[in-house]
Amino acid sequence: MPTSGRNLLLMTHRAQEYDVIIAGGGLAGRSLACFLSREPALTGTRILIVDDAGDHYAHRSLIYWHDKALPLPLVPVATFMSLAVDAGSAQRVLPLTRHRLCLTSSRTVFRCLDDVIDANPHVTRLDAQISRVRAHRGSVEVALSDGRLLTASYCFDSTVPPPGIKAPLLMSGEVRRIRTPHESFDPSIATFIDFRSGNHNPVHFHCVLPVSDREAFIEVTRIMPGRRPGPEFSFEQATSAYLREVWGVSEFSTLSVERGCIPLGIRSSPSRGRHVRIGTPSGAVKATTGYGFTRILRQTQHIASSLATTGSADVPRPSPRFRWYDKPVLRMWKHDPEQAVQFMKAAFTSGDADLVLDFLDERTTFAEEQRLLGSMPVTMLLQPRLWI
């Protein structure tokens, strides 16, 4: 008779303090705890979430897309069925046939995850800092900074990569929720990666996500080398200039402001036996765009399912060819950002928005990638300095 995943987890580790230790209580850690809690075969699994940030995460707006039901009961702030993309001097509106582009808040996402986690009496939260994780053949040993020692069958680690690993690029941005006195936006269309701004120094782009004809989230993003400071840049001035020059909006009020940054191009940290990297350190965030919300949900749901069915943690690995695609694009952003702008414009005006979103999600087949790349200026990527 097949043995359940729960029994496989405990069969050789009954004396251990926990079955699963989750290092980090952000999106990846919470998602994994939630999906583990929802697996009937893992009922009673002892889960410890170790996080020294508590509930003090800076909540941000999240842009995501999906073409099937999400594993969370999210009600987005806004949903879009068309993308307006930068086509040079004007915009081009592309319909979304399969996908929906959505806007939500990390606060809403965390609330959905915590509702499941807090209902599980076998989940413990610990406000502490991990100083060392040591994997053994059948278990893992976790040392806390206060000297306490914990053991488990697995440690799933979503904390920052080890010291010394630097991001080649840094994506920083500001999201400003605004309200205009007049009808200014089409709530059914999201403006996605728009480079039409008067000043490109440093290179930056905008997204416009309307929630009504007079209210919208305006995101301004810049990508800079991660190891040297960039020129002075005012996100507020960039947003005002963009709205005035591109949208003809000179008067608006600001309802809220969010700021944040995402490291791009960090090499994924390897898992070591039962010390398993998840989330950003595992490469779940797309190297060239910083998008990772649905990718992290899929990754952690897959891990929970594999533990429930086999008792082993199977972490889905991205295809190596997507790293091959990403490398010259990252180098282009670093060495020739103006050329990167032209490449991105071409990518998003290929005519098939659903295919582009699948490609960004690394869910395309090789044949689909050939079709997409055939409509893009791939010769830009063949310069030796982008590969050496």
Side-chain angles (χ1 to χ4, degrees):
M1 179 181 295
T3 305
S4 71
R6 164 66 182 160
N7 291 334
L8 282 172
L9 273 174
L10 296 182
M11 187 179 297
T12 58
H13 305 292
R14 291 184 183 279
Q16 293 185 352
E17 189 173 353
Y18 295 96
D19 301 312
V20 169
I21 293 175
I22 297 174
L27 175 62
R30 274 177 158 102
S31 297
L32 181 58
C34 171
F35 295 135
L36 290 171
S37 299
R38 283 171 32 174
E39 287 288 348
L42 299 179
T43 299
T45 298
R46 298 163 297 170
I47 302 168
L48 175 68
I49 303 173
V50 182
D51 186 24
D52 65 346
D55 292 325
H56 304 298
Y57 287 93
H59 288 288
R60 300 189 179 102
S61 298
L62 296 174
I63 302 171
Y64 65 96
W65 55 86
H66 62 94
D67 59 355
K68 59 182 68 174
L70 288 178
L72 294 178
L74 291 179
V75 178
V77 175
T79 301
F80 305 98
M81 297 173 287
S82 298
L83 294 184
V85 296
D86 183 358
S89 59
Q91 281 188 326
R92 182 179 180 185
V93 178
L94 303 176
L96 290 172
T97 304
R98 292 182 291 105
H99 292 85
R100 291 294 176 263
L101 188 79
C102 300
L103 173 69
T104 191
S105 164
S106 61
R107 181 178 285 106
T108 301
V109 174
F110 279 18
R111 190 180 302 121
C112 285
L113 297 171
D114 287 343
D115 284 346
V116 177
I117 295 170
D118 294 341
N120 184 349
H122 301 286
V123 175
T124 304
R125 297 179 191 258
L126 181 61
D127 185 358
Q129 198 170 49
I130 292 175
S131 61
R132 188 189 73 247
V133 179
R134 182 173 294 162
H136 304 288
R137 174 172 292 184
S139 64
V140 66
E141 182 182 87
V142 177
L144 304 182
S145 58
D146 61 8
R148 281 179 289 177
L149 196 64
L150 309 171
T151 58
S153 293
Y154 282 97
C155 175
F156 296 98
D157 193 344
S158 65
T159 57
V160 295
I165 295 181
K166 301 288 186 180
L169 295 168
L170 190 66
M171 173 184 283
S172 58
E174 177 185 277
V175 179
R176 189 172 290 264
R177 186 170 186 170
I178 69 162
R179 180 178 293 149
T180 63
H182 310 291
E183 295 181 0
S184 306
F185 309 107
D186 183 342
S188 67
I189 300 175
T191 298
F192 197 60
I193 308 185
D194 190 353
F195 291 98
R196 294 178 302 157
S197 57
N199 178 18
H200 274 186
N201 186 26
V203 169
H204 58 278
F205 55 87
H206 294 81
C207 295
V208 179
L209 305 166
V211 294
S212 72
D213 54 11
R214 298 187 182 186
E215 193 171 316
F217 287 78
I218 313 295
E219 179 180 13
V220 55
T221 303
R222 65 173 183 167
I223 300 176
M224 297 290 293
R227 299 190 181 186
R228 67 172 186 265
E232 291 295 324
F233 183 80
S234 169
F235 288 103
E236 182 178 6
Q237 291 178 9
T239 296
S240 297
Y242 171 72
L243 288 171
R244 183 177 60 254
E245 296 168 11
V246 176
W247 290 79
V249 174
S250 57
E251 184 181 352
F252 63 88
S253 57
T254 298
L255 305 180
S256 64
V257 179
E258 310 162 24
R259 297 184 181 91
C261 60
I262 300 173
L264 297 182
I266 290 182
R267 295 192 307 274
S268 60
S269 301
S271 298
R272 299 185 183 278
R274 291 176 177 262
H275 180 198
V276 181
R277 297 283 185 174
I278 61 173
T280 300
S282 70
V285 173
K286 179 66 174 173
T288 51
T289 64
Y291 287 109
F293 172 58
T294 55
R295 290 158 62 90
I296 289 173
L297 291 183
R298 288 198 300 269
Q299 180 197 64
T300 51
Q301 185 181 38
H302 181 90
I303 292 171
S305 177
S306 70
L307 278 172
T309 55
T310 70
S312 298
D314 176 37
V315 182
R317 302 294 179 188
S319 167
R321 71 178 183 273
F322 287 101
R323 292 197 297 271
W324 187 89
Y325 297 143
D326 288 341
K327 181 178 179 178
V329 176
L330 289 169
R331 291 286 184 89
M332 192 183 295
W333 274 116
K334 186 174 182 179
H335 297 295
D336 194 345
E338 287 292 345
Q339 189 174 38
V341 169
Q342 299 307 315
F343 183 82
M344 293 295 286
K345 285 183 180 181
F348 284 98
T349 55
S350 65
D352 189 338
D354 290 286
L355 181 59
V356 171
L357 294 182
D358 279 337
F359 181 70
L360 292 180
D361 242 356
E362 301 186 359
R363 296 169 59 201
T364 45
T365 64
F366 184 64
E368 289 171 328
E369 291 149 26
Q370 287 182 305
R371 178 159 62 92
L372 178 62
L373 293 172
S375 65
M376 296 164 58
V378 292
T379 53
M380 288 185 179
L381 304 180
L382 301 180
Q383 300 176 47
R385 67 173 179 165
L386 301 181
W387 292 92
I388 298 175

